[in-house]
Amino acid sequence: MLQANRYSCKMAFKSGFIAICGRPNTGKTTLLNRVLGHKVGIVSAKPQTTRHRILGVHTDEQAQMVFLDTPGLNCRPTELSLDQRIQANALEALKEADLALLLFDATREWGEEDALVTKQSKESGVKRIAVLNKVDRLADKAEQERTLQEIGNNSGVATLLPVSAKSGEGLSQLLATIRKHLPDGPLYYPNETLTDQTERFLAAEIIREKIFKFTGQEVPYACAVIVEAYKESTQQLLVQAVIVVDRQALKKILIGKRGATIKRIGMAAREELEANHGKKVHVELFVKVHKNWRQELKTVKAFGY
Ligand SMILES: Nc1nc2c(ncn2[C@@H]2O[C@H](COP(=O)(O)OP(=O)(O)OP(=O)(O)O)[C@@H](O)[C@H]2O)c(=O)[nH]1
Ligand SMILES: [Mg+2]
């Protein structure tokens, strides 16, 4: 009898993999971080920040939602091996998912990249929920209604919800809707799991985020961050990382006048890591040039992409 009860209880539990897709900069990673109440992915004001498929797990009594944050889909990825890999990472998540959240940016007109996301997700045959993000930036409810209608018409996705990943508006409705669309399923990850990323990978990503923050339009895209040493004791953490750039000129920019830029990057990364770990952190950064690394598939792979 006890067994039977257990069984029926398990059957009521919902779970599944949810790909978060959209053009670059729609707020996919911000949304994931907000849902988890924890930063598992890096965010920047510039497009194409996320390069990997980032896994984040939200578990409550009724469901386990395994989110797959993806790189923004781009209509015209360059021939660079790095870009090709990034786009493949995005599409891969759609194949694995039970459900896709299609994120649209309320501050931008419908564009060809939105059409691409809509098309790719449709072709994958996955169930879809359209999400209009950044509604905090809209003037009023009338503008929100207009924008929702436009996204509904253009995407053809029946379920459409307004949210603000920044303020949290609309998130509980979104979670309830996701739950409704998930199949009955098991606990894929232990209750307390937030992500499958290692601390070492997160440290590299935090450094990459600071590069996005403190350098201009070109440098962040030409960089890879490789953590060469990650040594943690009860009192402190040492992170030694190499930032690889693909041209000498960018190395100069990244280092800055008398090392000012690289110092700011290191300091900001250290502060965030100290807050995360609650201990003293040393961040040592080295800049190296690997000419045209983004064009070499084997190097791109070796760097973890
Ligand atoms: N006002 C407002 N800004 C937001 C919201 N969500 C995200 N942003 C901002 O939008 C920018 C892009 O956010 P990300 O989360 O990096 O976007 P993304 O879709 O993951 O971008 P890629 O990884 O480059 O594809 C950042 O400056 C965020 O702070 C929102 O709900 N409201
Ligand atoms: Mg992102």
Side-chain angles (χ1 to χ4, degrees), residues 23-30 43-50 71-72 133-134 136-137 164-166:
R23 71 197 282 177
N25 211 43
T26 51
K28 298 176 290 298
T29 309
T30 307
V43 165
S44 92
K46 299 181 180 113
Q48 284 176 327
T49 305
T50 305
N133 188 33
K134 307 194 189 180
D136 58 285
R137 296 275 304 274
S164 165
K166 193 169 191 178

mmCIF file with all atom_site columns, all heavy atoms in Angstrom, residues 23-30 43-50 71-72 133-134 136-137 164-166, ligand 1:
data_model
loop_
_atom_site.group_PDB
_atom_site.id
_atom_site.type_symbol
_atom_site.label_atom_id
_atom_site.label_alt_id
_atom_site.label_comp_id
_atom_site.label_asym_id
_atom_site.label_entity_id
_atom_site.label_seq_id
_atom_site.pdbx_PDB_ins_code
_atom_site.Cartn_x
_atom_site.Cartn_y
_atom_site.Cartn_z
_atom_site.occupancy
_atom_site.B_iso_or_equiv
_atom_site.pdbx_formal_charge
_atom_site.auth_seq_id
_atom_site.auth_comp_id
_atom_site.auth_asym_id
_atom_site.auth_atom_id
_atom_site.pdbx_PDB_model_num
ATOM   1   N N   . ARG A 1 23  ? 16.864 35.826 -29.754 1.00 0.00 ? 23  ARG A N   1
ATOM   2   C CA  . ARG A 1 23  ? 17.959 36.563 -30.377 1.00 0.00 ? 23  ARG A CA  1
ATOM   3   C C   . ARG A 1 23  ? 18.906 37.042 -29.273 1.00 0.00 ? 23  ARG A C   1
ATOM   4   O O   . ARG A 1 23  ? 18.528 37.037 -28.094 1.00 0.00 ? 23  ARG A O   1
ATOM   5   C CB  . ARG A 1 23  ? 17.397 37.741 -31.175 1.00 0.00 ? 23  ARG A CB  1
ATOM   6   C CG  . ARG A 1 23  ? 16.859 38.837 -30.287 1.00 0.00 ? 23  ARG A CG  1
ATOM   7   C CD  . ARG A 1 23  ? 15.958 39.790 -31.022 1.00 0.00 ? 23  ARG A CD  1
ATOM   8   N NE  . ARG A 1 23  ? 16.691 40.742 -31.832 1.00 0.00 ? 23  ARG A NE  1
ATOM   9   C CZ  . ARG A 1 23  ? 16.074 41.642 -32.624 1.00 0.00 ? 23  ARG A CZ  1
ATOM   10  N NH1 . ARG A 1 23  ? 14.750 41.674 -32.718 1.00 0.00 ? 23  ARG A NH1 1
ATOM   11  N NH2 . ARG A 1 23  ? 16.769 42.488 -33.312 1.00 0.00 ? 23  ARG A NH2 1
ATOM   12  N N   . PRO A 1 24  ? 20.099 37.479 -29.611 1.00 0.00 ? 24  PRO A N   1
ATOM   13  C CA  . PRO A 1 24  ? 21.022 37.959 -28.590 1.00 0.00 ? 24  PRO A CA  1
ATOM   14  C C   . PRO A 1 24  ? 20.437 39.135 -27.793 1.00 0.00 ? 24  PRO A C   1
ATOM   15  O O   . PRO A 1 24  ? 19.687 39.941 -28.349 1.00 0.00 ? 24  PRO A O   1
ATOM   16  C CB  . PRO A 1 24  ? 22.244 38.417 -29.400 1.00 0.00 ? 24  PRO A CB  1
ATOM   17  C CG  . PRO A 1 24  ? 22.173 37.634 -30.661 1.00 0.00 ? 24  PRO A CG  1
ATOM   18  C CD  . PRO A 1 24  ? 20.717 37.472 -30.959 1.00 0.00 ? 24  PRO A CD  1
ATOM   19  N N   . ASN A 1 25  ? 20.763 39.179 -26.509 1.00 0.00 ? 25  ASN A N   1
ATOM   20  C CA  . ASN A 1 25  ? 20.449 40.341 -25.664 1.00 0.00 ? 25  ASN A CA  1
ATOM   21  C C   . ASN A 1 25  ? 18.977 40.493 -25.254 1.00 0.00 ? 25  ASN A C   1
ATOM   22  O O   . ASN A 1 25  ? 18.559 41.571 -24.836 1.00 0.00 ? 25  ASN A O   1
ATOM   23  C CB  . ASN A 1 25  ? 20.925 41.622 -26.373 1.00 0.00 ? 25  ASN A CB  1
ATOM   24  C CG  . ASN A 1 25  ? 21.335 42.699 -25.392 1.00 0.00 ? 25  ASN A CG  1
ATOM   25  O OD1 . ASN A 1 25  ? 22.010 42.403 -24.402 1.00 0.00 ? 25  ASN A OD1 1
ATOM   26  N ND2 . ASN A 1 25  ? 20.931 43.921 -25.621 1.00 0.00 ? 25  ASN A ND2 1
ATOM   27  N N   . THR A 1 26  ? 18.184 39.434 -25.374 1.00 0.00 ? 26  THR A N   1
ATOM   28  C CA  . THR A 1 26  ? 16.776 39.556 -24.988 1.00 0.00 ? 26  THR A CA  1
ATOM   29  C C   . THR A 1 26  ? 16.576 39.395 -23.475 1.00 0.00 ? 26  THR A C   1
ATOM   30  O O   . THR A 1 26  ? 15.473 39.602 -22.974 1.00 0.00 ? 26  THR A O   1
ATOM   31  C CB  . THR A 1 26  ? 15.906 38.490 -25.698 1.00 0.00 ? 26  THR A CB  1
ATOM   32  O OG1 . THR A 1 26  ? 16.511 37.219 -25.485 1.00 0.00 ? 26  THR A OG1 1
ATOM   33  C CG2 . THR A 1 26  ? 15.794 38.749 -27.182 1.00 0.00 ? 26  THR A CG2 1
ATOM   34  N N   . GLY A 1 27  ? 17.635 38.976 -22.770 1.00 0.00 ? 27  GLY A N   1
ATOM   35  C CA  . GLY A 1 27  ? 17.517 38.811 -21.317 1.00 0.00 ? 27  GLY A CA  1
ATOM   36  C C   . GLY A 1 27  ? 17.344 37.363 -20.886 1.00 0.00 ? 27  GLY A C   1
ATOM   37  O O   . GLY A 1 27  ? 16.833 37.077 -19.799 1.00 0.00 ? 27  GLY A O   1
ATOM   38  N N   . LYS A 1 28  ? 17.827 36.427 -21.701 1.00 0.00 ? 28  LYS A N   1
ATOM   39  C CA  . LYS A 1 28  ? 17.678 34.999 -21.394 1.00 0.00 ? 28  LYS A CA  1
ATOM   40  C C   . LYS A 1 28  ? 18.397 34.626 -20.096 1.00 0.00 ? 28  LYS A C   1
ATOM   41  O O   . LYS A 1 28  ? 17.837 33.960 -19.224 1.00 0.00 ? 28  LYS A O   1
ATOM   42  C CB  . LYS A 1 28  ? 18.240 34.152 -22.563 1.00 0.00 ? 28  LYS A CB  1
ATOM   43  C CG  . LYS A 1 28  ? 17.505 34.369 -23.875 1.00 0.00 ? 28  LYS A CG  1
ATOM   44  C CD  . LYS A 1 28  ? 18.117 33.599 -25.038 1.00 0.00 ? 28  LYS A CD  1
ATOM   45  C CE  . LYS A 1 28  ? 19.461 34.109 -25.490 1.00 0.00 ? 28  LYS A CE  1
ATOM   46  N NZ  . LYS A 1 28  ? 19.463 35.507 -25.996 1.00 0.00 ? 28  LYS A NZ  1
ATOM   47  N N   . THR A 1 29  ? 19.645 35.076 -20.002 1.00 0.00 ? 29  THR A N   1
ATOM   48  C CA  . THR A 1 29  ? 20.426 34.716 -18.815 1.00 0.00 ? 29  THR A CA  1
ATOM   49  C C   . THR A 1 29  ? 19.911 35.457 -17.580 1.00 0.00 ? 29  THR A C   1
ATOM   50  O O   . THR A 1 29  ? 19.852 34.877 -16.487 1.00 0.00 ? 29  THR A O   1
ATOM   51  C CB  . THR A 1 29  ? 21.922 35.015 -19.067 1.00 0.00 ? 29  THR A CB  1
ATOM   52  O OG1 . THR A 1 29  ? 22.303 34.405 -20.303 1.00 0.00 ? 29  THR A OG1 1
ATOM   53  C CG2 . THR A 1 29  ? 22.788 34.478 -17.943 1.00 0.00 ? 29  THR A CG2 1
ATOM   54  N N   . THR A 1 30  ? 19.512 36.702 -17.774 1.00 0.00 ? 30  THR A N   1
ATOM   55  C CA  . THR A 1 30  ? 18.936 37.459 -16.656 1.00 0.00 ? 30  THR A CA  1
ATOM   56  C C   . THR A 1 30  ? 17.702 36.735 -16.127 1.00 0.00 ? 30  THR A C   1
ATOM   57  O O   . THR A 1 30  ? 17.493 36.637 -14.914 1.00 0.00 ? 30  THR A O   1
ATOM   58  C CB  . THR A 1 30  ? 18.542 38.885 -17.117 1.00 0.00 ? 30  THR A CB  1
ATOM   59  O OG1 . THR A 1 30  ? 19.674 39.493 -17.745 1.00 0.00 ? 30  THR A OG1 1
ATOM   60  C CG2 . THR A 1 30  ? 18.078 39.742 -15.963 1.00 0.00 ? 30  THR A CG2 1
ATOM   61  N N   . VAL A 1 43  ? 25.934 38.147 -17.535 1.00 0.00 ? 43  VAL A N   1
ATOM   62  C CA  . VAL A 1 43  ? 25.010 39.051 -18.231 1.00 0.00 ? 43  VAL A CA  1
ATOM   63  C C   . VAL A 1 43  ? 25.795 40.277 -18.655 1.00 0.00 ? 43  VAL A C   1
ATOM   64  O O   . VAL A 1 43  ? 26.681 40.725 -17.934 1.00 0.00 ? 43  VAL A O   1
ATOM   65  C CB  . VAL A 1 43  ? 23.892 39.460 -17.239 1.00 0.00 ? 43  VAL A CB  1
ATOM   66  C CG1 . VAL A 1 43  ? 23.108 40.649 -17.752 1.00 0.00 ? 43  VAL A CG1 1
ATOM   67  C CG2 . VAL A 1 43  ? 22.969 38.281 -16.954 1.00 0.00 ? 43  VAL A CG2 1
ATOM   68  N N   . SER A 1 44  ? 25.474 40.828 -19.811 1.00 0.00 ? 44  SER A N   1
ATOM   69  C CA  . SER A 1 44  ? 26.048 42.134 -20.145 1.00 0.00 ? 44  SER A CA  1
ATOM   70  C C   . SER A 1 44  ? 25.097 42.898 -21.039 1.00 0.00 ? 44  SER A C   1
ATOM   71  O O   . SER A 1 44  ? 24.151 42.330 -21.589 1.00 0.00 ? 44  SER A O   1
ATOM   72  C CB  . SER A 1 44  ? 27.410 41.968 -20.829 1.00 0.00 ? 44  SER A CB  1
ATOM   73  O OG  . SER A 1 44  ? 27.240 41.912 -22.228 1.00 0.00 ? 44  SER A OG  1
ATOM   74  N N   . ALA A 1 45  ? 25.370 44.183 -21.173 1.00 0.00 ? 45  ALA A N   1
ATOM   75  C CA  . ALA A 1 45  ? 24.527 45.022 -22.018 1.00 0.00 ? 45  ALA A CA  1
ATOM   76  C C   . ALA A 1 45  ? 24.816 44.773 -23.495 1.00 0.00 ? 45  ALA A C   1
ATOM   77  O O   . ALA A 1 45  ? 24.073 45.217 -24.357 1.00 0.00 ? 45  ALA A O   1
ATOM   78  C CB  . ALA A 1 45  ? 24.764 46.490 -21.668 1.00 0.00 ? 45  ALA A CB  1
ATOM   79  N N   . LYS A 1 46  ? 25.904 44.048 -23.773 1.00 0.00 ? 46  LYS A N   1
ATOM   80  C CA  . LYS A 1 46  ? 26.267 43.780 -25.173 1.00 0.00 ? 46  LYS A CA  1
ATOM   81  C C   . LYS A 1 46  ? 25.690 42.434 -25.623 1.00 0.00 ? 46  LYS A C   1
ATOM   82  O O   . LYS A 1 46  ? 25.566 41.524 -24.815 1.00 0.00 ? 46  LYS A O   1
ATOM   83  C CB  . LYS A 1 46  ? 27.791 43.752 -25.315 1.00 0.00 ? 46  LYS A CB  1
ATOM   84  C CG  . LYS A 1 46  ? 28.432 45.081 -24.927 1.00 0.00 ? 46  LYS A CG  1
ATOM   85  C CD  . LYS A 1 46  ? 29.942 45.036 -25.093 1.00 0.00 ? 46  LYS A CD  1
ATOM   86  C CE  . LYS A 1 46  ? 30.534 46.371 -24.700 1.00 0.00 ? 46  LYS A CE  1
ATOM   87  N NZ  . LYS A 1 46  ? 31.359 46.307 -23.485 1.00 0.00 ? 46  LYS A NZ  1
ATOM   88  N N   . PRO A 1 47  ? 25.360 42.325 -26.921 1.00 0.00 ? 47  PRO A N   1
ATOM   89  C CA  . PRO A 1 47  ? 24.826 41.044 -27.403 1.00 0.00 ? 47  PRO A CA  1
ATOM   90  C C   . PRO A 1 47  ? 25.894 39.955 -27.431 1.00 0.00 ? 47  PRO A C   1
ATOM   91  O O   . PRO A 1 47  ? 27.088 40.248 -27.415 1.00 0.00 ? 47  PRO A O   1
ATOM   92  C CB  . PRO A 1 47  ? 24.349 41.368 -28.821 1.00 0.00 ? 47  PRO A CB  1
ATOM   93  C CG  . PRO A 1 47  ? 25.131 42.563 -29.229 1.00 0.00 ? 47  PRO A CG  1
ATOM   94  C CD  . PRO A 1 47  ? 25.434 43.339 -27.984 1.00 0.00 ? 47  PRO A CD  1
ATOM   95  N N   . GLN A 1 48  ? 25.438 38.724 -27.512 1.00 0.00 ? 48  GLN A N   1
ATOM   96  C CA  . GLN A 1 48  ? 26.311 37.542 -27.620 1.00 0.00 ? 48  GLN A CA  1
ATOM   97  C C   . GLN A 1 48  ? 27.289 37.393 -26.457 1.00 0.00 ? 48  GLN A C   1
ATOM   98  O O   . GLN A 1 48  ? 28.485 37.202 -26.644 1.00 0.00 ? 48  GLN A O   1
ATOM   99  C CB  . GLN A 1 48  ? 27.036 37.564 -28.961 1.00 0.00 ? 48  GLN A CB  1
ATOM   100 C CG  . GLN A 1 48  ? 26.067 37.149 -30.016 1.00 0.00 ? 48  GLN A CG  1
ATOM   101 C CD  . GLN A 1 48  ? 26.597 37.208 -31.420 1.00 0.00 ? 48  GLN A CD  1
ATOM   102 O OE1 . GLN A 1 48  ? 27.415 38.065 -31.763 1.00 0.00 ? 48  GLN A OE1 1
ATOM   103 N NE2 . GLN A 1 48  ? 26.115 36.303 -32.227 1.00 0.00 ? 48  GLN A NE2 1
ATOM   104 N N   . THR A 1 49  ? 26.711 37.467 -25.284 1.00 0.00 ? 49  THR A N   1
ATOM   105 C CA  . THR A 1 49  ? 27.488 37.292 -24.065 1.00 0.00 ? 49  THR A CA  1
ATOM   106 C C   . THR A 1 49  ? 27.638 35.803 -23.761 1.00 0.00 ? 49  THR A C   1
ATOM   107 O O   . THR A 1 49  ? 28.739 35.312 -23.520 1.00 0.00 ? 49  THR A O   1
ATOM   108 C CB  . THR A 1 49  ? 26.779 38.005 -22.887 1.00 0.00 ? 49  THR A CB  1
ATOM   109 O OG1 . THR A 1 49  ? 26.579 39.367 -23.256 1.00 0.00 ? 49  THR A OG1 1
ATOM   110 C CG2 . THR A 1 49  ? 27.592 37.927 -21.610 1.00 0.00 ? 49  THR A CG2 1
ATOM   111 N N   . THR A 1 50  ? 26.521 35.091 -23.779 1.00 0.00 ? 50  THR A N   1
ATOM   112 C CA  . THR A 1 50  ? 26.540 33.660 -23.465 1.00 0.00 ? 50  THR A CA  1
ATOM   113 C C   . THR A 1 50  ? 27.117 32.873 -24.638 1.00 0.00 ? 50  THR A C   1
ATOM   114 O O   . THR A 1 50  ? 26.715 33.092 -25.787 1.00 0.00 ? 50  THR A O   1
ATOM   115 C CB  . THR A 1 50  ? 25.109 33.164 -23.158 1.00 0.00 ? 50  THR A CB  1
ATOM   116 O OG1 . THR A 1 50  ? 24.575 33.973 -22.117 1.00 0.00 ? 50  THR A OG1 1
ATOM   117 C CG2 . THR A 1 50  ? 25.098 31.700 -22.737 1.00 0.00 ? 50  THR A CG2 1
ATOM   118 N N   . PRO A 1 71  ? 23.037 30.493 -26.075 1.00 0.00 ? 71  PRO A N   1
ATOM   119 C CA  . PRO A 1 71  ? 23.539 31.691 -26.749 1.00 0.00 ? 71  PRO A CA  1
ATOM   120 C C   . PRO A 1 71  ? 22.456 32.250 -27.679 1.00 0.00 ? 71  PRO A C   1
ATOM   121 O O   . PRO A 1 71  ? 21.638 31.497 -28.205 1.00 0.00 ? 71  PRO A O   1
ATOM   122 C CB  . PRO A 1 71  ? 24.721 31.163 -27.573 1.00 0.00 ? 71  PRO A CB  1
ATOM   123 C CG  . PRO A 1 71  ? 25.105 29.872 -26.938 1.00 0.00 ? 71  PRO A CG  1
ATOM   124 C CD  . PRO A 1 71  ? 23.828 29.299 -26.419 1.00 0.00 ? 71  PRO A CD  1
ATOM   125 N N   . GLY A 1 72  ? 22.470 33.557 -27.876 1.00 0.00 ? 72  GLY A N   1
ATOM   126 C CA  . GLY A 1 72  ? 21.480 34.172 -28.768 1.00 0.00 ? 72  GLY A CA  1
ATOM   127 C C   . GLY A 1 72  ? 21.638 33.674 -30.195 1.00 0.00 ? 72  GLY A C   1
ATOM   128 O O   . GLY A 1 72  ? 22.753 33.524 -30.683 1.00 0.00 ? 72  GLY A O   1
ATOM   129 N N   . ASN A 1 133 ? 9.863  39.858 -22.790 1.00 0.00 ? 133 ASN A N   1
ATOM   130 C CA  . ASN A 1 133 ? 10.660 40.329 -21.644 1.00 0.00 ? 133 ASN A CA  1
ATOM   131 C C   . ASN A 1 133 ? 10.901 41.835 -21.722 1.00 0.00 ? 133 ASN A C   1
ATOM   132 O O   . ASN A 1 133 ? 10.698 42.453 -22.751 1.00 0.00 ? 133 ASN A O   1
ATOM   133 C CB  . ASN A 1 133 ? 12.000 39.574 -21.612 1.00 0.00 ? 133 ASN A CB  1
ATOM   134 C CG  . ASN A 1 133 ? 12.795 39.881 -20.346 1.00 0.00 ? 133 ASN A CG  1
ATOM   135 O OD1 . ASN A 1 133 ? 12.210 40.114 -19.279 1.00 0.00 ? 133 ASN A OD1 1
ATOM   136 N ND2 . ASN A 1 133 ? 14.110 39.904 -20.444 1.00 0.00 ? 133 ASN A ND2 1
ATOM   137 N N   . LYS A 1 134 ? 11.329 42.395 -20.599 1.00 0.00 ? 134 LYS A N   1
ATOM   138 C CA  . LYS A 1 134 ? 11.656 43.823 -20.451 1.00 0.00 ? 134 LYS A CA  1
ATOM   139 C C   . LYS A 1 134 ? 10.412 44.709 -20.502 1.00 0.00 ? 134 LYS A C   1
ATOM   140 O O   . LYS A 1 134 ? 10.477 45.837 -20.981 1.00 0.00 ? 134 LYS A O   1
ATOM   141 C CB  . LYS A 1 134 ? 12.679 44.280 -21.509 1.00 0.00 ? 134 LYS A CB  1
ATOM   142 C CG  . LYS A 1 134 ? 13.946 43.429 -21.572 1.00 0.00 ? 134 LYS A CG  1
ATOM   143 C CD  . LYS A 1 134 ? 15.055 44.088 -22.371 1.00 0.00 ? 134 LYS A CD  1
ATOM   144 C CE  . LYS A 1 134 ? 16.211 43.119 -22.596 1.00 0.00 ? 134 LYS A CE  1
ATOM   145 N NZ  . LYS A 1 134 ? 17.325 43.688 -23.360 1.00 0.00 ? 134 LYS A NZ  1
ATOM   146 N N   . ASP A 1 136 ? 9.131  46.159 -18.203 1.00 0.00 ? 136 ASP A N   1
ATOM   147 C CA  . ASP A 1 136 ? 9.359  47.339 -17.339 1.00 0.00 ? 136 ASP A CA  1
ATOM   148 C C   . ASP A 1 136 ? 9.751  48.562 -18.162 1.00 0.00 ? 136 ASP A C   1
ATOM   149 O O   . ASP A 1 136 ? 9.637  49.694 -17.698 1.00 0.00 ? 136 ASP A O   1
ATOM   150 C CB  . ASP A 1 136 ? 10.446 47.023 -16.297 1.00 0.00 ? 136 ASP A CB  1
ATOM   151 C CG  . ASP A 1 136 ? 11.765 46.598 -16.931 1.00 0.00 ? 136 ASP A CG  1
ATOM   152 O OD1 . ASP A 1 136 ? 11.860 45.457 -17.421 1.00 0.00 ? 136 ASP A OD1 1
ATOM   153 O OD2 . ASP A 1 136 ? 12.685 47.402 -16.958 1.00 0.00 ? 136 ASP A OD2 1
ATOM   154 N N   . ARG A 1 137 ? 10.218 48.327 -19.389 1.00 0.00 ? 137 ARG A N   1
ATOM   155 C CA  . ARG A 1 137 ? 10.658 49.443 -20.236 1.00 0.00 ? 137 ARG A CA  1
ATOM   156 C C   . ARG A 1 137 ? 9.519  50.037 -21.067 1.00 0.00 ? 137 ARG A C   1
ATOM   157 O O   . ARG A 1 137 ? 9.708  51.031 -21.759 1.00 0.00 ? 137 ARG A O   1
ATOM   158 C CB  . ARG A 1 137 ? 11.782 48.974 -21.178 1.00 0.00 ? 137 ARG A CB  1
ATOM   159 C CG  . ARG A 1 137 ? 13.056 48.543 -20.488 1.00 0.00 ? 137 ARG A CG  1
ATOM   160 C CD  . ARG A 1 137 ? 13.995 49.708 -20.180 1.00 0.00 ? 137 ARG A CD  1
ATOM   161 N NE  . ARG A 1 137 ? 14.347 50.470 -21.369 1.00 0.00 ? 137 ARG A NE  1
ATOM   162 C CZ  . ARG A 1 137 ? 15.363 50.166 -22.207 1.00 0.00 ? 137 ARG A CZ  1
ATOM   163 N NH1 . ARG A 1 137 ? 16.116 49.110 -21.958 1.00 0.00 ? 137 ARG A NH1 1
ATOM   164 N NH2 . ARG A 1 137 ? 15.627 50.906 -23.250 1.00 0.00 ? 137 ARG A NH2 1
ATOM   165 N N   . SER A 1 164 ? 9.155  40.763 -16.676 1.00 0.00 ? 164 SER A N   1
ATOM   166 C CA  . SER A 1 164 ? 10.373 41.551 -16.563 1.00 0.00 ? 164 SER A CA  1
ATOM   167 C C   . SER A 1 164 ? 11.349 40.727 -15.739 1.00 0.00 ? 164 SER A C   1
ATOM   168 O O   . SER A 1 164 ? 11.141 40.531 -14.541 1.00 0.00 ? 164 SER A O   1
ATOM   169 C CB  . SER A 1 164 ? 10.105 42.890 -15.877 1.00 0.00 ? 164 SER A CB  1
ATOM   170 O OG  . SER A 1 164 ? 11.342 43.452 -15.489 1.00 0.00 ? 164 SER A OG  1
ATOM   171 N N   . ALA A 1 165 ? 12.392 40.243 -16.407 1.00 0.00 ? 165 ALA A N   1
ATOM   172 C CA  . ALA A 1 165 ? 13.404 39.469 -15.681 1.00 0.00 ? 165 ALA A CA  1
ATOM   173 C C   . ALA A 1 165 ? 14.104 40.370 -14.678 1.00 0.00 ? 165 ALA A C   1
ATOM   174 O O   . ALA A 1 165 ? 14.614 39.907 -13.665 1.00 0.00 ? 165 ALA A O   1
ATOM   175 C CB  . ALA A 1 165 ? 14.410 38.880 -16.671 1.00 0.00 ? 165 ALA A CB  1
ATOM   176 N N   . LYS A 1 166 ? 14.102 41.657 -14.964 1.00 0.00 ? 166 LYS A N   1
ATOM   177 C CA  . LYS A 1 166 ? 14.790 42.606 -14.092 1.00 0.00 ? 166 LYS A CA  1
ATOM   178 C C   . LYS A 1 166 ? 14.013 42.835 -12.794 1.00 0.00 ? 166 LYS A C   1
ATOM   179 O O   . LYS A 1 166 ? 14.580 42.754 -11.710 1.00 0.00 ? 166 LYS A O   1
ATOM   180 C CB  . LYS A 1 166 ? 14.969 43.928 -14.830 1.00 0.00 ? 166 LYS A CB  1
ATOM   181 C CG  . LYS A 1 166 ? 15.924 44.861 -14.165 1.00 0.00 ? 166 LYS A CG  1
ATOM   182 C CD  . LYS A 1 166 ? 16.230 46.012 -15.100 1.00 0.00 ? 166 LYS A CD  1
ATOM   183 C CE  . LYS A 1 166 ? 17.403 46.821 -14.571 1.00 0.00 ? 166 LYS A CE  1
ATOM   184 N NZ  . LYS A 1 166 ? 17.733 47.910 -15.494 1.00 0.00 ? 166 LYS A NZ  1
HETATM 185 N N1  . LIG B 2 .   ? 15.063 46.798 -18.441 1.00 0.00 ? 1   LIG B N1  1
HETATM 186 C C1  . LIG B 2 .   ? 15.311 45.492 -18.490 1.00 0.00 ? 1   LIG B C1  1
HETATM 187 N N2  . LIG B 2 .   ? 16.533 45.055 -18.869 1.00 0.00 ? 1   LIG B N2  1
HETATM 188 C C2  . LIG B 2 .   ? 16.738 43.718 -18.906 1.00 0.00 ? 1   LIG B C2  1
HETATM 189 C C3  . LIG B 2 .   ? 15.742 42.786 -18.560 1.00 0.00 ? 1   LIG B C3  1
HETATM 190 N N3  . LIG B 2 .   ? 16.259 41.541 -18.721 1.00 0.00 ? 1   LIG B N3  1
HETATM 191 C C4  . LIG B 2 .   ? 17.529 41.711 -19.136 1.00 0.00 ? 1   LIG B C4  1
HETATM 192 N N4  . LIG B 2 .   ? 17.826 43.015 -19.251 1.00 0.00 ? 1   LIG B N4  1
HETATM 193 C C5  . LIG B 2 .   ? 19.103 43.605 -19.701 1.00 0.00 ? 1   LIG B C5  1
HETATM 194 O O1  . LIG B 2 .   ? 19.339 43.194 -21.029 1.00 0.00 ? 1   LIG B O1  1
HETATM 195 C C6  . LIG B 2 .   ? 20.734 43.022 -21.273 1.00 0.00 ? 1   LIG B C6  1
HETATM 196 C C7  . LIG B 2 .   ? 21.012 41.630 -21.816 1.00 0.00 ? 1   LIG B C7  1
HETATM 197 O O2  . LIG B 2 .   ? 20.730 40.680 -20.807 1.00 0.00 ? 1   LIG B O2  1
HETATM 198 P P1  . LIG B 2 .   ? 21.271 39.180 -20.896 1.00 0.00 ? 1   LIG B P1  1
HETATM 199 O O3  . LIG B 2 .   ? 20.604 38.423 -19.812 1.00 0.00 ? 1   LIG B O3  1
HETATM 200 O O4  . LIG B 2 .   ? 22.751 39.160 -20.968 1.00 0.00 ? 1   LIG B O4  1
HETATM 201 O O5  . LIG B 2 .   ? 20.677 38.775 -22.306 1.00 0.00 ? 1   LIG B O5  1
HETATM 202 P P2  . LIG B 2 .   ? 20.862 37.394 -23.101 1.00 0.00 ? 1   LIG B P2  1
HETATM 203 O O6  . LIG B 2 .   ? 19.624 37.171 -23.871 1.00 0.00 ? 1   LIG B O6  1
HETATM 204 O O7  . LIG B 2 .   ? 21.292 36.321 -22.181 1.00 0.00 ? 1   LIG B O7  1
HETATM 205 O O8  . LIG B 2 .   ? 22.031 37.796 -24.095 1.00 0.00 ? 1   LIG B O8  1
HETATM 206 P P3  . LIG B 2 .   ? 23.029 36.797 -24.923 1.00 0.00 ? 1   LIG B P3  1
HETATM 207 O O9  . LIG B 2 .   ? 23.645 35.850 -23.960 1.00 0.00 ? 1   LIG B O9  1
HETATM 208 O O10 . LIG B 2 .   ? 24.014 37.765 -25.470 1.00 0.00 ? 1   LIG B O10 1
HETATM 209 O O11 . LIG B 2 .   ? 22.212 36.156 -25.987 1.00 0.00 ? 1   LIG B O11 1
HETATM 210 C C8  . LIG B 2 .   ? 21.423 43.308 -19.936 1.00 0.00 ? 1   LIG B C8  1
HETATM 211 O O12 . LIG B 2 .   ? 21.858 44.638 -19.930 1.00 0.00 ? 1   LIG B O12 1
HETATM 212 C C9  . LIG B 2 .   ? 20.304 43.092 -18.926 1.00 0.00 ? 1   LIG B C9  1
HETATM 213 O O13 . LIG B 2 .   ? 20.494 43.826 -17.735 1.00 0.00 ? 1   LIG B O13 1
HETATM 214 C C10 . LIG B 2 .   ? 14.466 43.282 -18.150 1.00 0.00 ? 1   LIG B C10 1
HETATM 215 O O14 . LIG B 2 .   ? 13.530 42.561 -17.818 1.00 0.00 ? 1   LIG B O14 1
HETATM 216 N N5  . LIG B 2 .   ? 14.319 44.639 -18.136 1.00 0.00 ? 1   LIG B N5  1
#
